[in-house]
């Protein structure tokens, strides 16, 4: 299930209800910390990064034992989150699950899965910046742990060439501090250095900071793994500090 970007007011009512109903809560420790007040009298299993598979297996195991389990993910669980991994693990381990409509496949017992949506980081960031996602956009994770850099580079090139607004996730890691600089060089092959770029750190969390710069002036030293970056398209403009991508209404109907 999804926790949204951070603070409790951005949890959906369904997510709050699911947390209340859960007997076991499983998640990454930073996210568990964000929902501390909702965790009374629950079994909480938290672990660090790179323990995703263990966490997921543990959650499935507890659910098979009959507990109501909430496996939590920041933002939306289905976007670079845990939702896909649950299906992968259940499929790989031959766990019987209900189908999408909640019906058991055979007559036997099957695990009921509910994917609860949440506000992803790119939405939270866009709302702070203004309205940068008013037109077609692409989301690209710069993390090369699971995806080869060649693939990431090809997607960056294609999205830049097709003039998508681009959300850049996972822009920096301790082991790969140069990811963003490399991505920026790729984007600059087909996009103007004046393209507006919004940088949002800890959206809707304590310590939130954000600013608007340009592709030319984007400095990777200012970003970390709790940052999401929105690169405008060729029409995106900055007005009074707001970053806006026009949909084209005024050109068509404005006069
Ligand atoms: N499922 C999440 C994404 C998880 S990947 C979602 O739907 O947004 C983790 C990456 O998401 C981070 O490296 C960062 O790029 C971004 N991110 C997640 N929460 C964020 C927040 N509150 N502020 C800024 N970036 C965030």
């Amino acid at each position: 299930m999804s926790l949204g970007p951070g603070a409790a007011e951005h949890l959906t009512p369904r997510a709050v209800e699911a947390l209340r109903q859960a007997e076991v809560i499983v998640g990454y420790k930073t996210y568990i910390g964000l929902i501390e007040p909702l965790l009374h009298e629950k079994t909480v299993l938290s672990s660090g990064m790179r323990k995703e598979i263990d966490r997921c297996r543990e959650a499935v195991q507890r659910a098979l034992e009959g507990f109501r389990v909430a496996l939590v993910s920041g933002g939306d669980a289905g976007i670079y989150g845990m939702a896909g991994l649950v299906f992968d693990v259940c499929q790989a381990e031959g766990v019987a699950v209900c189908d999408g409509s909640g019906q058991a496949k055979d007559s036997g017992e099957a695990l009921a899965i509910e994917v609860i949506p949440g506000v992803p980081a790119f939405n939270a960031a866009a709302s702070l910046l203004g309205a940068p996602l008013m037109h077609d956009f692409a989301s690209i994770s710069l993390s090369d742990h699971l995806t080869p850099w060649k693939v990431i580079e090809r997607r960056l090139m294609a999205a830049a060439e097709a003039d998508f607004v681009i959300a850049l996730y996972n822009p920096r890691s301790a082991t790969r501090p140069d990811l963003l600089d490399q991505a920026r060089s790729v984007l600059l092959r087909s996009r103007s250095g004046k393209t507006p770029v919004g940088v949002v750190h800890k959206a809707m969390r304590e310590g939130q900071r954000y600013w608007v710069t340009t592709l030319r002036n984007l400095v990777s030293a200012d970003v970390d793994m709790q940052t999401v970056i929105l690169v405008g398209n060729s029409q995106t403009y900055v007005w009074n500090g707001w970053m806006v991508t026009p949909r084209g209404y005024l050109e068509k109907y404005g006069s």
Side-chain angles (χ1 to χ4, degrees):
M1 57 154 295
S2 310
L3 296 181
E9 68 261 34
H10 297 292
L11 274 168
T12 65
R14 177 67 194 114
V16 173
E17 187 185 46
L19 284 172
R20 291 224 167 91
Q21 290 167 340
E23 294 156 307
V24 178
I25 299 190
V26 185
Y28 174 45
K29 53 182 178 346
T30 307
Y31 297 137
I32 293 284
L34 294 169
I35 50 166
E36 201 84 64
L38 293 163
L39 301 179
H40 288 309
E41 293 175 16
K42 314 228 180 236
T43 306
V44 177
L45 307 170
S46 71
S47 57
M49 270 225 288
R50 303 288 182 82
K51 295 272 187 197
E52 287 89 352
I53 299 182
D54 294 347
R55 271 204 304 274
C56 192
R57 288 203 176 114
E58 175 99 51
V60 170
Q61 187 52 41
R62 295 294 175 116
L64 288 171
E65 286 164 14
F67 293 103
R68 278 186 90 95
V69 180
L71 174 59
V72 301
S73 228
D76 183 89
I79 299 178
Y80 314 120
M82 298 296 284
L85 191 50
V86 172
F87 291 109
D88 289 347
V89 164
C90 288
Q91 193 194 34
E93 297 185 356
V95 174
V97 298
C98 293
D99 69 16
S101 64
Q103 303 296 310
K105 281 269 186 262
D106 311 309
S107 49
E109 288 271 303
L111 198 67
I113 297 178
E114 180 185 359
V115 182
I116 299 174
V119 177
F122 66 76
N123 272 153
S127 66
L128 293 169
L129 294 165
L133 299 179
M134 281 291 290
H135 218 297
D136 301 338
F137 62 91
S139 171
I140 300 177
S141 166
L142 299 186
S143 170
D144 63 353
H145 294 309
L146 300 172
T147 308
W149 177 253
K150 280 274 153 230
V151 174
I152 298 171
E153 191 177 28
R154 184 156 53 85
R155 291 181 182 163
L156 285 167
M157 269 185 319
E161 247 168 52
D163 203 23
F164 281 100
V165 176
I166 304 171
L168 297 175
Y169 269 80
N170 299 302
R172 191 189 178 95
S173 78
T175 50
R176 292 292 313 277
D178 58 339
L179 285 173
L180 184 60
D181 289 330
Q182 287 193 39
R184 181 175 155 271
S185 306
V186 175
L187 297 178
L188 279 169
R189 285 184 213 158
S190 52
R191 295 286 269 273
S192 159
K194 293 186 193 144
T195 304
V197 174
V199 181
V200 181
H201 176 68
K202 293 192 174 179
M204 275 72 183
R205 285 184 197 165
E206 213 179 300
Q208 167 180 293
R209 276 186 308 124
Y210 58 95
W211 61 94
V212 178
T213 179
T214 60
L215 198 49
R216 182 180 299 123
N217 293 328
L218 180 60
V219 178
S220 74
D222 295 340
V223 310
D224 64 8
M225 279 310 256
Q226 293 199 59
T227 307
V228 69
I229 294 168
L230 299 182
V231 181
N233 71 12
S234 60
Q235 307 301 306
T236 304
Y237 63 87
V238 180
W239 177 71
N240 281 340
W242 297 104
M243 180 175 167
V244 182
T245 302
R247 177 84 197 281
Y249 290 112
L250 286 184
E251 286 78 359
K252 182 147 188 190
Y253 303 110
S255 51

